[in-house]
Amino acid sequence: MRKILVTGAAGQIGSELVPALRQLYGDENVIAAGHRTPMPDDVRESGPAITVDVTDVASVQRAVRDHDVGTVYHMSSLLSALAETNRQRAHAVNIEGLYNVLEAAVDNDVDQVIVPSSIAAFGPDTPPDNTPNETLQRPTTLYGISKVFGELMGNYYVEKLGLDVRGLRLPGIISWKTEPTAGTTDYAVAIFYAAIRDGRYTCYLRPDTRLPMMYMPDCIKAIIDLARADASRLRHHTDFNVGAVSFTPAELAEVIASRLPDFSIDYDVDPLRQGIADSWPNSLDDSAAREEWDWNPSFDLDAMADDMLDNLSRKLAGEGRSDQEE
Ligand code: AKB
């Protein structure tokens, strides 16, 4: 088979997507591409791993051409809070990087490109509750603007160039393997680390900030299910809402406290991330994804919290042990 290339393979989602794809398609067929962030050992050691700078057109072209790539999962992206503090890099990675990948795909007859979008593709003018798939999209963040660009560019390459580009608007992703870097929804991961390590957490969002979220196993399932969906059923391509759970910091803290009774939370609001969160939806209408490729998440808030606490406790206990051994 032609190879699968995953950019951003060291990132929060990439580092879990690569093993899932290797299990499905075989270790040798899935190439993990990273750049500056060190790749987790299991990703680097279980199959091919290369360095690709998505901002460098030659580097992207080489990776796609030299490895006979048939599918690209383009996961490289600067998340929302970091993008606001580094406009130049956000433009280079999120906008030019995507353009380089799409052009390399066309030049090298790639069959399919998967490009995640985000709830950040919506803005303060968008209806916030049960946000429709088709609605006003006027994001006020650079990250959100780059995600709308990605959706529109992807649809352009579908319509004008016949490339099979697919994408979904991911909510905040909660996971225990690799921590996210400088997103707005990161508190929902950090709170679990803090709860286990310190029994307390200071949250940078207000207690009533409701945001759509999803547990990593559902995220991986959504990405792979969309990639494998029957093309003849798809009326959308790059812009599917995918919902799972929706909660506030106060509600998440309550769920954690019901499992770790000594846990406490306080709040020290960061105006940058609060402003970003306030411009995003509270919850999503994902009926298009349900109708066109049978999207159906498995984890509700309780199931997610149980699984997170279980896996993260084991991971942190293991790290504690190896620190002592050093
Ligand atoms: C972020 O917070 O920037 C991301 C996202 C919602 O796309 N997790």
Side-chain angles (χ1 to χ4, degrees):
M1 68 176 271
R2 298 181 80 198
K3 301 287 189 246
I4 297 171
L5 179 73
V6 181
T7 69
Q12 186 199 12
I13 301 177
S15 64
E16 301 218 28
L17 182 61
V18 169
L21 290 171
R22 284 185 175 154
Q23 204 167 5
L24 267 178
Y25 297 106
D27 291 346
E28 287 311 307
N29 290 320
V30 180
I31 304 168
H35 185 218
R36 291 184 183 165
T37 312
M39 236 178 249
D41 293 345
D42 67 319
V43 173
R44 207 186 47 250
E45 288 160 12
S46 63
I50 60 174
T51 299
V52 175
D53 177 359
V54 298
T55 70
D56 173 4
V57 62
S59 170
V60 179
Q61 288 278 357
R62 223 177 8 254
V64 173
R65 190 189 55 233
D66 293 356
H67 296 91
D68 187 27
V69 169
T71 306
V72 182
Y73 288 77
H74 181 45
M75 310 306 296
S76 302
S77 187
L78 251 67
L79 294 185
S80 54
L82 186 57
E84 289 305 301
T85 59
N86 196 340
R87 290 194 298 282
Q88 206 180 1
R89 183 112 195 104
H91 183 267
V93 173
N94 295 9
I95 291 186
E96 284 167 40
L98 171 64
Y99 175 69
N100 290 339
V101 166
L102 291 171
E103 281 297 299
V106 170
D107 289 349
N108 296 283
D109 293 322
V110 164
D111 302 312
Q112 189 180 61
V113 180
I114 306 299
V115 186
S117 182
S118 161
I119 54 168
F122 298 115
D125 306 321
T126 303
D129 295 315
N130 208 25
T131 299
N133 211 86
E134 272 71 51
T135 186
L136 205 55
Q137 288 181 265
R138 285 190 192 141
T140 48
T141 62
L142 271 182
Y143 176 66
I145 292 166
S146 74
K147 290 299 177 188
V148 174
F149 171 82
E151 292 181 7
L152 296 175
M153 282 294 271
N155 281 334
Y156 178 94
Y157 279 71
V158 172
E159 295 301 327
K160 308 272 178 176
L161 295 146
L163 181 65
D164 181 4
V165 189
R166 302 183 187 188
L168 66 188
R169 295 177 181 137
L170 294 175
I173 303 300
I174 298 159
S175 66
W176 54 268
K177 184 178 170 188
T178 307
E179 287 181 79
T181 331
T184 299
T185 57
D186 297 8
Y187 91 83
V189 176
I191 192 173
F192 283 98
Y193 279 81
I196 295 167
R197 278 184 183 141
D198 312 321
R200 54 177 309 282
Y201 178 65
T202 301
C203 185
Y204 55 79
L205 294 182
R206 277 192 324 265
D208 61 348
T209 310
R210 184 171 299 283
L211 288 167
M213 300 275 184
M214 183 183 286
Y215 194 36
M216 185 62 89
D218 277 332
C219 169
I220 299 299
K221 178 162 86 105
I223 294 170
I224 294 178
D225 284 357
L226 174 59
R228 289 157 71 99
D230 176 356
S232 67
R233 286 181 62 195
L234 299 185
R235 284 180 294 107
H236 298 79
H237 295 280
T238 59
D239 45 16
F240 285 99
N241 282 0
V242 277
V245 285
S246 176
F247 53 78
T248 65
E251 288 166 354
L252 179 56
E254 208 178 295
V255 167
I256 294 175
S258 70
R259 287 149 175 87
L260 304 174
D262 292 336
F263 175 68
S264 67
I265 187 165
D266 60 4
Y267 298 88
D268 181 11
V269 172
D270 167 17
L272 172 67
R273 286 179 286 184
Q274 186 65 55
I276 296 175
D278 288 344
S279 75
W280 289 354
N282 302 329
S283 58
L284 302 172
D285 172 355
D286 59 4
S287 46
R290 288 173 188 265
E291 278 161 27
E292 294 176 43
W293 47 278
D294 307 320
W295 164 240
N296 190 15
S298 301
F299 284 83
D300 63 13
L301 181 50
D302 284 307
M304 180 273 285
D306 286 335
D307 204 65
M308 267 302 274
L309 288 171
D310 192 28
N311 280 297
L312 194 54
S313 302
R314 261 187 275 139
K315 175 182 154 175
L316 294 178
E319 282 173 10
R321 267 197 304 279
S322 58
D323 282 354
Q324 284 160 25
E325 281 155 16
E326 270 165 11

